[in-house]
Amino acid sequence: MSMARALRMFGTIALVLAGVILLITPYAGNPFWTGLMAQILIFGLLALSVDLLMRHTGLFPMCNGAFFAVAAYTVAMLEVNYGVASPFAALAGIASAGVTGMVFGVSVRASGVYFILVTLALGQLVWGVSVQWTWLTGGDNGITNVPYPSLGDMRIGSLTQMYYFVAFVVIFFTLLYRQVIRSPFGLSLNGIRDSESRMTALGFNVTVRKYVAFVISSLFAGVAGVLYAYTVQFVSPAASSLLISVEAALMPILGGPGTVFGAFIGAVIIIGIRNVVSGFLSGWPIVMGLVFIIVVLFAPKGILGIFNDLLRRSDRRDQAADAARKDVREAEQ
Amino acid sequence: MTGCKACMAAAFVAGVFGASAVSADAIRIGVMLPMTGGLAQSGLDARNGFELYWNQVGNEAGGREVEIIVADTVCNPDNAINAARRLAFNDEVDFLVGPLCGHEGPAVAQVSGETGVPLLLVPAAADSQTKWDRIPTVIRTGFSSSQDAHPFGEYLYNELGLRNVTFLGQDYSYGQEKTLGAVATFEALGGTVDEILWAPLSTTDYAPFLASIPQGTEAVVPVVVGVHRNRFIETWFDFGYDRQFDLIGLNLLQADALVDMDDRVVGLISVAQNYSQGIDTPENQAFMDAYVEAYGMIPSYFAEMMFSTAMWAHEAIDSIDGNVEDRDVFLQAVRDTEIVGPRGPLRLDDYDNPIQTTYISRVERVDHPTLGSVLMNVPVASFPDVSQFWTWTPEEFLERGPYTR
């Protein structure tokens, strides 16, 4: 069996295994693992929203945690304070993230380091509100007792049901995300990342496209925020902290920027180390740091990047071998 | 990379199947504290206090061995939820103790509510947890944010004779609850609050805040936390505000901040809290000596609160002969238990919050037999039997709603 075929088989097995783990977690494990997997899925989706700007458009946003938090707070407030029905609360959550995205979208006029700084400042604005406006957000005490979502008489009644709901929604939006990045619009974003001036010369309105990408990113972050509020059932300023934005950027970098699975692999690593490794190793931040250093130094395309590189290399080797065999055959004739 | 994948897979398997690997008869206590990150030192103090007590009693309660399992919460509610679930399901602890950070409290309490695993809530101080958002399986053994602020407001008016005061509060839940608690009782007596200056947690420079202290105010009352205490004190003395106004600390210089201070702070009223290192009782003397001997430093109030929580749990477990498996019996035992800890007598009110002494402390330079010359908080006033509702009825207080701005 050629190396390429072995790698493909390994990939397929890994994918099937991931699917099986995704399906059976609530039954194979206990609520700890179910809750952890739900968090991984939710933060994976948030990481995808960052990757849309970071890898596909060449913008490094530091405010996706803010969209995430705005959506989470909106859902929590509407559900807890006003008893709004879940579908409306969820839509309002996503919409509020989108509106915040439209406002913060002015930052696409800046580029490079300035874009990072502007989005950092805007993100901290939301954090400041969530900490200081205690009459609205509950401050550090947060908003507690967010119920599981319901539709009329249908009600999600347990963490297990919630988990499957989260898995369904995350998979749906991940597929949607894949459509976005493969669409002509998505490809034009890649063009903007590679050369803005060339895209301008080709007649694309670069600023508008970046703005739209920014708003789409905020909507995806909003979906993650809505799921977060319903799953964790508690929203506090931690949701809007800078750490969330930074980690959401680190996840695709670790897992494999530009890929759909990379974000989730990164989420498994970061959330896994923090919650699982910390259970038996008090020096877990060192492990986290080492993983970051190793990935950045030796796998700049992330963990999935190693796999893809290997696959490409062995494909090329196979092709070369095929060509050589063909040459030999032709020479023999 | 594959190595780490393997270790995570191993961890997953160990977590799923290894839960029964812990010893069967020991009482298992799950302790949730920040062991890494910005509050790691406070978390370590708390852990030390907890372990000190159990070591003193030979890690035994109700005739059973006691096993302590510490989980790192990183002072982040998302982690705290996972830590609580891991302790409840994988380690199968009999009850939970913690967390330290205010915003972790509701997260952990929620897990206690959904699993039924009792939680001794300490040191997290959010007012709401023993007032508006109570959960039946949650008992607080620490304090509520505004609890010590109420007597402090009266102290300002009655003992210090102040009539015009400016508050400087840290602008987040704990700071607001503490500040506004003192404002409420000070104003109720007829005192005038000239201004409340709110300093965000992101403040790095206190000069602009101090510059806006109104002239004619008699004293400034700060509620600042963590590294802000050092920033505030530096600015206060460097800009000469000590020559203009009195400085009366409501939440200013706890033991862990005094380590960084010099003699300029000697004589300042430093903090109103349920503990003061200078309490002159045999219980506190024994605790101080044991802590200094074990860890070579003065115990913070986190250490004391966890020490007396361990004592509380110990006596409760003894009273039910170690039957912690019956959660209702255990919770009732904790409610019925009254102890005298280093910080004084402790008992619960009907809302599962301790009724305890509030100490108002002043900084003094003390000659410690082993540590040498150190700055230490010594009580100048104490208010015994302070309830979280102060002199209001619980109904009045609950009706009025939380302290927010």
Coordinates of all heavy atoms in Angstrom, one line a residue, chain A residues 28-33 35-36 39 43 127 131-132 134-135 138-141 144 159 228 232-234 236 238 243-244 268 272 274-276 278-280 282 284-285 294-295 303, chain B residues 1 4-5 7-8 11-12 15-16 36 72 74 76-79 81-83 85-86 89-90 102-103 106-107 110 114 126-128 133 171-173 176-177 200-202 404-405:
Chain A
A28 N -21.1 7.2 26.7 CA -19.9 6.6 27.1 C -19.3 7.3 28.3 O -18.6 6.6 29.1 CB -18.9 6.6 25.9
G29 N -19.5 8.6 28.4 CA -18.8 9.3 29.5 C -19.9 9.6 30.6 O -20.8 8.9 30.9
N30 N -19.7 10.8 31.1 CA -20.6 11.3 32.1 C -20.8 12.8 31.8 O -20.2 13.3 30.9 CB -20.1 11.1 33.5 CG -18.7 11.7 33.7 OD1 -18.5 12.8 33.3 ND2 -17.9 11.0 34.5
P31 N -21.7 13.5 32.6 CA -21.9 14.9 32.2 C -20.6 15.8 32.1 O -20.7 16.8 31.4 CB -22.8 15.4 33.4 CG -23.5 14.2 33.8 CD -22.6 13.0 33.7
F32 N -19.6 15.4 32.8 CA -18.4 16.2 32.7 C -17.9 16.2 31.2 O -17.6 17.2 30.6 CB -17.3 15.6 33.6 CG -15.9 16.1 33.3 CD1 -15.6 17.5 33.4 CD2 -14.9 15.3 32.9 CE1 -14.3 18.0 33.0 CE2 -13.6 15.7 32.6 CZ -13.3 17.1 32.6
W33 N -17.8 15.0 30.7 CA -17.4 14.8 29.3 C -18.4 15.4 28.3 O -18.0 16.0 27.3 CB -17.1 13.4 29.0 CG -16.0 12.8 29.8 CD1 -16.1 12.0 30.9 CD2 -14.6 13.1 29.6 NE1 -14.9 11.7 31.4 CE2 -13.9 12.4 30.7 CE3 -13.8 13.9 28.7 CZ2 -12.5 12.4 30.8 CZ3 -12.5 13.9 28.9 CH2 -11.8 13.2 29.9
G35 N -20.4 18.0 28.9 CA -20.3 19.4 29.0 C -19.0 19.9 28.3 O -19.0 20.9 27.6
L36 N -17.9 19.1 28.5 CA -16.7 19.5 27.9 C -16.8 19.4 26.3 O -16.3 20.4 25.6 CB -15.6 18.5 28.3 CG -14.1 19.0 28.1 CD1 -13.8 20.2 29.0 CD2 -13.2 17.8 28.5
Q39 N -18.7 22.3 25.0 CA -17.8 23.5 25.0 C -16.9 23.5 23.8 O -16.6 24.6 23.2 CB -17.0 23.6 26.3 CG -17.7 24.4 27.4 CD -16.8 24.7 28.6 OE1 -15.6 24.7 28.5 NE2 -17.4 24.9 29.7
F43 N -16.8 26.5 21.1 CA -15.6 27.3 20.9 C -15.0 27.0 19.5 O -14.4 27.9 18.9 CB -14.7 27.2 22.0 CG -15.1 27.9 23.2 CD1 -15.6 27.3 24.3 CD2 -15.0 29.3 23.2 CE1 -16.1 28.0 25.4 CE2 -15.4 30.0 24.3 CZ -16.0 29.4 25.4
W127 N -16.4 44.3 27.0 CA -16.0 43.8 28.3 C -16.3 44.8 29.4 O -16.9 44.5 30.5 CB -14.5 43.4 28.3 CG -14.1 42.9 29.6 CD1 -14.2 41.6 30.1 CD2 -13.4 43.6 30.6 NE1 -13.7 41.5 31.3 CE2 -13.1 42.7 31.7 CE3 -12.9 44.9 30.7 CZ2 -12.5 43.1 32.8 CZ3 -12.2 45.3 31.9 CH2 -12.0 44.4 32.9
V131 N -18.8 44.3 32.7 CA -18.3 44.3 34.1 C -18.9 45.5 34.9 O -19.3 45.3 36.0 CB -16.7 44.5 34.1 CG1 -16.2 44.7 35.5 CG2 -16.1 43.3 33.5
Q132 N -19.0 46.6 34.2 CA -19.4 47.9 35.0 C -20.9 48.1 35.1 O -21.3 48.7 36.1 CB -18.6 49.1 34.4 CG -17.1 49.0 34.7 CD -16.3 50.0 33.9 OE1 -16.8 50.9 33.5 NE2 -15.0 49.7 33.8
T134 N -23.6 47.0 36.1 CA -24.2 45.9 36.8 C -25.7 45.9 36.7 O -26.3 44.8 36.8 CB -23.7 45.9 38.2 OG1 -23.8 47.2 38.7 CG2 -22.3 45.4 38.3
W135 N -26.3 47.0 36.6 CA -27.8 47.1 36.6 C -28.3 46.3 35.3 O -29.4 45.8 35.4 CB -28.3 48.5 36.6 CG -27.8 49.3 35.4 CD1 -26.6 50.1 35.4 CD2 -28.3 49.5 34.1 NE1 -26.4 50.6 34.2 CE2 -27.5 50.3 33.4 CE3 -29.5 49.0 33.5 CZ2 -27.7 50.6 32.0 CZ3 -29.7 49.3 32.2 CH2 -28.9 50.1 31.5
G138 N -25.6 42.5 35.4 CA -25.4 41.7 36.6 C -23.9 41.7 37.0 O -23.5 41.2 38.0
G139 N -23.1 42.4 36.2 CA -21.6 42.5 36.4 C -21.0 41.1 36.6 O -21.4 40.2 35.9
D140 N -20.1 41.1 37.6 CA -19.4 39.8 37.8 C -20.3 38.7 38.2 O -20.0 37.5 38.0 CB -18.4 40.1 39.0 CG -17.0 39.7 38.6 OD1 -16.8 39.5 37.4 OD2 -16.1 39.6 39.5
N141 N -21.4 39.0 38.9 CA -22.4 38.0 39.3 C -23.1 37.4 38.1 O -23.7 36.3 38.2 CB -23.4 38.6 40.2 CG -22.8 39.1 41.5 OD1 -21.7 38.9 41.8 ND2 -23.6 39.9 42.2
T144 N -27.8 34.4 35.8 CA -27.8 33.0 36.1 C -29.2 32.4 35.7 O -30.1 33.1 35.3 CB -27.7 32.7 37.6 OG1 -28.5 33.7 38.3 CG2 -26.2 33.0 38.0
L159 N -28.8 17.9 29.9 CA -27.5 18.2 29.2 C -27.3 17.4 28.0 O -26.8 17.8 27.0 CB -26.4 18.0 30.2 CG -25.0 18.4 29.8 CD1 -24.9 19.9 29.4 CD2 -23.9 18.1 30.8
Y228 N -23.7 29.0 23.6 CA -23.0 29.1 24.9 C -23.9 29.4 26.0 O -23.9 28.8 27.1 CB -21.8 30.1 24.8 CG -21.1 30.5 26.1 CD1 -20.1 29.7 26.5 CD2 -21.5 31.6 26.8 CE1 -19.4 30.0 27.7 CE2 -20.8 31.9 28.0 CZ -19.8 31.1 28.4 OH -19.1 31.4 29.6
V232 N -24.2 26.6 28.9 CA -23.6 26.9 30.2 C -24.6 27.4 31.2 O -24.5 27.3 32.4 CB -22.4 27.9 30.0 CG1 -21.8 28.2 31.3 CG2 -21.4 27.2 29.1
Q233 N -25.7 28.0 30.7 CA -26.9 28.5 31.4 C -26.5 29.6 32.4 O -27.1 29.9 33.4 CB -27.5 27.3 32.2 CG -28.0 26.2 31.3 CD -28.8 25.2 32.1 OE1 -28.2 24.5 32.9 NE2 -30.1 25.2 31.9
F234 N -25.4 30.3 32.0 CA -24.9 31.3 32.9 C -23.9 32.2 32.1 O -23.0 31.7 31.4 CB -24.1 30.7 34.1 CG -23.2 31.6 34.9 CD1 -23.8 32.6 35.6 CD2 -21.9 31.4 34.9 CE1 -23.0 33.5 36.3 CE2 -21.1 32.2 35.6 CZ -21.6 33.3 36.3
S236 N -21.3 35.5 32.2 CA -20.6 36.5 33.0 C -19.6 37.2 32.1 O -19.4 36.8 30.9 CB -19.9 35.7 34.1 OG -18.7 35.1 33.6
A238 N -16.7 36.9 31.8 CA -15.7 36.0 31.2 C -15.9 35.7 29.8 O -15.0 35.5 29.0 CB -15.6 34.7 32.0
L243 N -9.3 37.0 26.7 CA -8.8 35.6 26.6 C -9.6 34.8 25.6 O -9.1 34.0 24.8 CB -9.0 35.0 28.0 CG -8.4 33.5 28.1 CD1 -6.9 33.6 28.1 CD2 -8.9 32.8 29.2
I244 N -11.0 35.0 25.5 CA -11.8 34.3 24.6 C -11.4 34.6 23.2 O -11.3 33.7 22.3 CB -13.3 34.6 24.8 CG1 -13.7 34.2 26.3 CG2 -14.2 34.0 23.8 CD1 -14.4 33.0 26.4
V268 N -10.1 21.2 20.8 CA -9.9 20.0 21.6 C -8.6 20.2 22.4 O -8.6 19.9 23.6 CB -9.8 18.7 20.7 CG1 -9.3 17.6 21.5 CG2 -11.2 18.4 20.1
G272 N -9.1 20.9 26.1 CA -8.7 19.6 26.7 C -7.6 19.8 27.7 O -7.6 19.3 28.9
R274 N -6.7 22.4 29.3 CA -7.0 23.3 30.5 C -7.9 22.5 31.4 O -7.9 22.7 32.6 CB -7.7 24.5 30.0 CG -7.5 25.7 30.9 CD -8.0 27.0 30.4 NE -9.3 26.8 29.7 CZ -9.8 27.6 28.8 NH1 -9.0 28.6 28.4 NH2 -10.9 27.4 28.2
N275 N -8.8 21.6 30.9 CA -9.8 21.0 31.8 C -9.4 19.5 32.1 O -9.9 19.0 33.1 CB -11.2 21.0 31.1 CG -11.7 22.4 31.1 OD1 -12.0 23.0 32.2 ND2 -11.8 23.0 29.9
V276 N -8.7 18.9 31.3 CA -8.4 17.5 31.5 C -7.0 17.3 32.1 O -6.8 16.7 33.2 CB -8.5 16.6 30.3 CG1 -8.2 15.2 30.6 CG2 -9.9 16.8 29.7
S278 N -5.1 19.5 33.4 CA -5.0 20.2 34.7 C -5.5 19.3 35.9 O -5.1 19.6 37.0 CB -5.8 21.5 34.7 OG -7.2 21.2 34.7
G279 N -6.2 18.3 35.6 CA -6.7 17.4 36.6 C -5.6 16.6 37.3 O -5.7 16.2 38.4
F280 N -4.6 16.2 36.5 CA -3.5 15.4 37.0 C -2.2 16.1 37.0 O -1.2 15.5 37.4 CB -3.5 14.0 36.4 CG -3.4 14.0 34.9 CD1 -2.2 14.1 34.3 CD2 -4.6 13.9 34.1 CE1 -2.2 14.1 32.9 CE2 -4.6 13.9 32.8 CZ -3.3 14.0 32.1
S282 N -0.4 19.7 37.8 CA -0.6 21.1 38.2 C 0.2 22.1 37.3 O -0.1 23.3 37.2 CB -0.1 21.3 39.6 OG 1.2 21.0 39.8
W284 N 0.1 22.3 34.1 CA -0.5 22.2 32.8 C -0.3 23.4 31.9 O -0.2 23.3 30.7 CB -2.0 21.9 32.9 CG -2.8 23.0 33.6 CD1 -3.1 23.0 34.9 CD2 -3.4 24.1 33.0 NE1 -3.8 24.2 35.2 CE2 -4.0 24.8 34.1 CE3 -3.5 24.6 31.7 CZ2 -4.7 26.0 33.9 CZ3 -4.2 25.8 31.5 CH2 -4.8 26.5 32.6
P285 N -0.2 24.7 32.5 CA 0.1 25.8 31.6 C 1.4 25.6 30.8 O 1.6 26.1 29.7 CB 0.2 27.0 32.5 CG -0.6 26.6 33.7 CD -0.3 25.2 33.9
I294 N 5.9 24.4 20.0 CA 6.2 23.3 19.1 C 5.4 23.5 17.8 O 6.0 23.4 16.7 CB 5.9 21.9 19.7 CG1 6.9 21.7 20.8 CG2 6.0 20.8 18.6 CD1 6.6 20.5 21.7
V295 N 4.2 23.8 17.9 CA 3.3 24.0 16.7 C 3.8 25.2 15.9 O 4.0 25.1 14.7 CB 1.9 24.2 17.1 CG1 1.1 24.6 15.9 CG2 1.3 22.9 17.6
I303 N -1.7 21.4 13.1 CA -1.6 19.9 13.1 C -2.1 19.3 11.9 O -1.6 18.4 11.3 CB -2.3 19.4 14.4 CG1 -1.5 19.7 15.6 CG2 -2.6 17.9 14.3 CD1 -2.2 19.6 16.9
Chain B
M1 N 3.5 15.6 18.7 CA 2.1 15.8 18.7 C 1.3 14.5 19.0 O 0.4 14.5 19.7 CB 1.6 16.3 17.3 CG 1.6 17.7 17.1 SD 1.0 18.8 18.4 CE 2.6 19.1 19.2
C4 N 1.1 13.7 22.5 CA 0.1 14.4 23.4 C -1.3 13.9 23.1 O -2.1 13.9 23.9 CB 0.3 15.9 23.1 SG -0.4 16.8 24.5
K5 N -1.5 13.6 21.8 CA -2.8 13.0 21.5 C -3.0 11.7 22.3 O -4.1 11.5 22.8 CB -2.9 12.6 20.0 CG -3.6 13.7 19.2 CD -3.7 13.2 17.7 CE -4.2 14.3 16.8 NZ -3.9 14.0 15.4
C7 N -1.7 11.0 25.1 CA -1.9 11.2 26.5 C -3.3 11.8 26.8 O -3.9 11.5 27.8 CB -0.8 12.1 27.2 SG -1.0 13.8 26.8
M8 N -3.8 12.5 25.8 CA -5.2 13.0 26.0 C -6.2 11.8 25.9 O -7.2 11.8 26.6 CB -5.5 14.0 24.9 CG -4.8 15.3 25.2 SD -5.5 16.8 24.6 CE -7.2 16.4 24.4
A11 N -6.1 10.1 29.0 CA -6.8 10.8 30.0 C -8.3 10.6 29.9 O -9.0 10.5 30.8 CB -6.5 12.3 29.9
F12 N -8.7 10.6 28.6 CA -10.2 10.4 28.3 C -10.6 9.0 28.9 O -11.6 8.9 29.6 CB -10.4 10.4 26.8 CG -11.9 10.4 26.5 CD1 -12.6 11.6 26.4 CD2 -12.5 9.2 26.2 CE1 -13.9 11.6 26.0 CE2 -13.9 9.2 25.9 CZ -14.6 10.4 25.8
G15 N -10.5 8.9 32.6 CA -11.6 9.6 33.2 C -12.9 8.8 33.1 O -13.7 8.8 34.0
V16 N -13.1 8.2 32.0 CA -14.4 7.5 31.8 C -14.4 6.2 32.7 O -15.4 5.9 33.3 CB -14.6 7.1 30.3 CG1 -15.8 6.3 30.2 CG2 -14.7 8.3 29.5
T36 N -3.6 28.5 39.1 CA -2.7 29.2 38.1 C -3.4 30.5 37.7 O -4.5 30.7 38.0 CB -2.6 28.3 36.8 OG1 -3.9 28.0 36.3 CG2 -1.8 27.1 37.0
D72 N -8.1 23.0 39.6 CA -7.7 24.4 39.2 C -8.9 25.0 38.4 O -9.3 24.5 37.4 CB -6.5 24.3 38.4 CG -5.9 25.7 38.0 OD1 -6.5 26.7 38.5 OD2 -4.9 25.7 37.3
V74 N -8.7 28.4 37.5 CA -8.1 29.5 36.7 C -8.9 30.8 36.9 O -8.8 31.7 36.1 CB -8.0 29.1 35.2 CG1 -6.8 29.9 34.6 CG2 -7.8 27.7 35.0
N76 N -12.0 31.3 36.2 CA -12.8 31.5 35.0 C -14.0 30.6 35.1 O -13.9 29.4 35.3 CB -11.9 31.0 33.8 CG -12.7 31.1 32.5 OD1 -13.9 30.9 32.4 ND2 -12.0 31.2 31.4
P77 N -15.2 31.1 35.0 CA -16.4 30.3 35.2 C -16.5 29.1 34.3 O -17.1 28.1 34.7 CB -17.6 31.3 35.0 CG -17.0 32.5 34.5 CD -15.5 32.5 34.7
D78 N -16.1 29.2 33.1 CA -16.2 28.1 32.1 C -15.4 26.9 32.7 O -15.8 25.7 32.6 CB -15.7 28.4 30.7 CG -16.6 29.5 30.1 OD1 -17.7 29.6 30.6 OD2 -16.1 30.2 29.2
N79 N -14.2 27.2 33.2 CA -13.3 26.2 33.8 C -13.9 25.7 35.1 O -13.9 24.5 35.4 CB -11.9 26.7 34.1 CG -11.2 26.8 32.8 OD1 -11.2 26.0 31.9 ND2 -10.4 27.9 32.7
I81 N -17.0 25.4 36.0 CA -18.1 24.5 35.7 C -17.5 23.1 35.4 O -18.0 22.1 36.0 CB -19.0 25.0 34.5 CG1 -19.9 26.0 35.0 CG2 -19.7 23.8 33.9 CD1 -21.1 26.3 34.1
N82 N -16.5 23.0 34.6 CA -15.9 21.8 34.2 C -15.3 21.1 35.4 O -15.3 19.9 35.6 CB -14.9 21.9 33.1 CG -15.6 22.2 31.8 OD1 -16.7 21.8 31.5 ND2 -15.0 23.0 30.9
A83 N -14.6 22.0 36.2 CA -13.9 21.4 37.4 C -14.9 20.9 38.4 O -14.7 19.8 38.9 CB -13.1 22.6 38.1
R85 N -17.9 19.7 37.7 CA -18.4 18.4 37.1 C -17.4 17.3 37.2 O -17.8 16.2 37.5 CB -18.8 18.6 35.6 CG -20.1 19.5 35.5 CD -20.8 19.1 34.2 NE -22.0 20.0 34.0 CZ -22.1 20.9 33.0 NH1 -21.1 21.0 32.2 NH2 -23.1 21.6 32.9
R86 N -16.2 17.6 37.0 CA -15.2 16.6 37.0 C -15.1 16.0 38.4 O -15.0 14.8 38.6 CB -13.8 17.1 36.6 CG -12.8 16.0 36.4 CD -11.5 16.6 35.9 NE -10.8 17.3 36.9 CZ -10.1 18.4 36.7 NH1 -10.1 19.0 35.5 NH2 -9.5 19.0 37.7
F89 N -18.4 13.9 39.1 CA -18.7 12.7 38.4 C -17.4 11.8 38.3 O -17.6 10.6 38.5 CB -19.1 13.0 37.0 CG -20.5 13.7 36.9 CD1 -20.6 15.0 36.7 CD2 -21.6 12.9 37.2 CE1 -21.9 15.6 36.7 CE2 -22.9 13.5 37.2 CZ -23.0 14.8 37.0
N90 N -16.3 12.3 38.0 CA -15.1 11.5 37.9 C -14.5 11.1 39.2 O -14.1 10.0 39.5 CB -14.0 12.1 37.0 CG -14.5 12.3 35.5 OD1 -15.6 11.9 35.2 ND2 -13.6 12.8 34.7
G102 N -15.4 35.7 42.6 CA -16.9 35.9 42.7 C -17.7 35.4 41.5 O -18.7 34.8 41.7
H103 N -17.2 35.6 40.3 CA -18.0 35.2 39.1 C -18.0 33.7 38.9 O -18.7 33.2 38.1 CB -17.6 35.9 37.9 CG -16.1 35.8 37.5 ND1 -15.1 36.2 38.3 CD2 -15.6 35.2 36.4 CE1 -14.0 35.9 37.7 NE2 -14.2 35.3 36.6
P106 N -21.6 31.5 41.0 CA -22.9 31.1 40.4 C -22.7 29.8 39.5 O -23.5 29.0 39.5 CB -23.3 32.3 39.5 CG -22.6 33.4 40.1 CD -21.3 32.9 40.6
A107 N -21.5 29.8 38.8 CA -21.3 28.7 37.9 C -21.2 27.4 38.7 O -21.8 26.4 38.3 CB -20.0 28.9 37.1
Q110 N -24.4 26.3 40.3 CA -25.3 25.7 39.4 C -25.1 24.2 39.3 O -26.0 23.4 39.2 CB -25.1 26.4 38.0 CG -26.0 25.9 36.9 CD -25.7 26.7 35.7 OE1 -25.7 27.9 35.7 NE2 -25.5 25.9 34.6
E114 N -27.6 21.1 40.0 CA -28.1 20.1 39.1 C -27.6 18.7 39.5 O -28.2 17.7 39.1 CB -27.6 20.4 37.7 CG -26.1 20.2 37.4 CD -25.6 20.8 36.1 OE1 -26.2 21.8 35.6 OE2 -24.6 20.4 35.6
A126 N -20.2 36.9 46.2 CA -21.4 37.6 45.6 C -22.6 37.6 46.5 O -23.1 36.5 47.0 CB -21.7 36.9 44.3
D127 N -23.1 38.7 46.8 CA -24.3 38.9 47.7 C -25.5 38.0 47.3 O -26.1 37.4 48.1 CB -24.8 40.4 47.6 CG -24.2 41.2 48.7 OD1 -23.4 40.6 49.5 OD2 -24.5 42.4 48.8
S128 N -25.7 37.9 45.9 CA -26.9 37.3 45.5 C -27.0 35.8 45.9 O -28.1 35.3 46.0 CB -27.0 37.4 43.9 OG -25.8 36.8 43.4
D133 N -30.5 34.5 44.7 CA -30.3 33.3 43.9 C -29.8 32.1 44.7 O -28.8 31.5 44.4 CB -29.2 33.6 42.8 CG -29.6 34.7 41.8 OD1 -30.8 34.7 41.6 OD2 -28.8 35.4 41.3
D171 N -14.9 49.3 40.1 CA -16.2 49.2 39.4 C -16.5 47.8 38.9 O -16.4 47.5 37.7 CB -16.1 50.2 38.2 CG -17.5 50.6 37.8 OD1 -18.5 50.1 38.3 OD2 -17.6 51.4 36.8
Y172 N -16.8 46.9 39.8 CA -17.3 45.6 39.4 C -18.2 45.1 40.6 O -18.2 45.8 41.6 CB -16.2 44.6 39.0 CG -15.4 44.0 40.1 CD1 -15.4 42.7 40.3 CD2 -14.7 44.8 40.9 CE1 -14.6 42.1 41.3 CE2 -13.9 44.3 42.0 CZ -13.9 42.9 42.1 OH -13.2 42.4 43.1
S173 N -18.8 43.9 40.4 CA -19.8 43.6 41.4 C -19.3 43.6 42.9 O -20.0 44.3 43.7 CB -20.3 42.1 41.1 OG -20.9 42.1 39.9
Q176 N -18.8 47.2 43.9 CA -20.0 48.0 44.0 C -20.8 47.5 45.3 O -21.4 48.4 46.0 CB -20.9 47.8 42.8 CG -20.2 48.4 41.6 CD -21.0 48.1 40.3 OE1 -22.0 47.5 40.3 NE2 -20.4 48.5 39.1
E177 N -20.9 46.2 45.5 CA -21.7 45.7 46.7 C -21.0 46.2 48.0 O -21.7 46.6 48.9 CB -21.7 44.2 46.6 CG -22.7 43.7 45.6 CD -22.6 42.2 45.3 OE1 -21.8 41.5 45.9 OE2 -23.4 41.7 44.5
P200 N -12.6 51.6 37.1 CA -12.7 50.3 36.4 C -11.5 49.4 36.8 O -10.4 49.8 37.2 CB -12.6 50.7 34.9 CG -12.9 52.1 34.9 CD -12.4 52.7 36.2
L201 N -11.7 48.1 36.6 CA -10.7 47.1 36.8 C -9.5 47.3 35.9 O -8.4 46.8 36.2 CB -11.2 45.7 36.7 CG -12.0 45.1 37.8 CD1 -12.6 43.8 37.5 CD2 -11.1 45.0 39.0
S202 N -9.7 48.1 34.8 CA -8.6 48.3 33.9 C -7.7 49.5 34.2 O -6.8 49.9 33.5 CB -9.1 48.4 32.5 OG -10.1 49.4 32.4
T404 N -26.4 47.7 43.0 CA -25.8 47.9 41.7 C -25.8 49.4 41.3 O -26.4 50.2 42.0 CB -26.6 47.2 40.6 OG1 -27.9 47.7 40.6 CG2 -26.7 45.7 40.8
R405 N -25.0 49.7 40.3 CA -25.1 51.1 39.8 C -25.6 51.1 38.4 O -25.5 50.1 37.7 CB -23.8 51.8 40.0 CG -22.6 51.1 39.2 CD -21.4 51.9 39.3 NE -21.5 53.2 38.7 CZ -20.7 53.6 37.7 NH1 -19.8 52.8 37.3 NH2 -20.9 54.8 37.1

